[in-house]
């Protein structure tokens, strides 16, 4: 949720988790423009998209796999 009145003041993110994800997105994008290696640039865009997806509720297959391998003993 946004806090404050957007007509009189800039809205801000209320939750710390959202703020951290947005900062991660900005960090990935801020170094994107200076990158010469297309593979690294693509990875930075992917990370930025992933941060935004977590804010908006979009969960991709990669996120599900990360949780499965982090939280369960798969293949051990």
């Amino acid at each position: 949720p946004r806090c404050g009145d957007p007509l009189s003041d800039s809205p801000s993110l209320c939750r710390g988790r959202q703020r951290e994800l947005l900062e991660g997105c900005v960090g990935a994008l801020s170094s994107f423009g200076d990158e010469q290696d297309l593979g690294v640039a693509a990875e930075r865009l992917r990370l930025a998209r992933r941060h935004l997806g977590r804010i908006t509720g979009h969960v991709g297959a990669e996120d599900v796999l990360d949780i499965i391998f982090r939280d369960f003993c798969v293949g051990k």
Side-chain angles (χ1 to χ4, degrees):
R2 297 188 312 178
C3 297
D5 182 2
L7 297 176
S8 64
D9 194 13
S10 296
S12 62
L13 294 173
C14 295
R15 296 194 175 129
R17 181 185 74 82
Q18 291 173 332
R19 184 175 292 113
E20 288 174 12
L21 289 169
L22 192 57
E23 288 171 355
C25 179
V26 169
L29 290 176
S30 68
S31 58
F32 164 76
D34 298 330
E35 187 53 56
Q36 300 296 318
D37 185 327
L38 290 179
V40 174
E43 176 64 12
R44 291 191 177 144
L45 284 177
R46 186 190 69 78
L47 287 172
R49 183 187 66 86
R50 189 173 183 189
H51 287 302
L52 287 178
R54 288 184 173 172
I55 292 171
T56 61
H58 175 76
V59 178
E62 187 175 301
D63 296 314
V64 173
L65 290 173
D66 284 347
I67 292 168
I68 290 171
F69 284 102
R70 183 189 69 218
D71 295 345
F72 301 99
C73 294
V74 176
K76 291 183 180 179

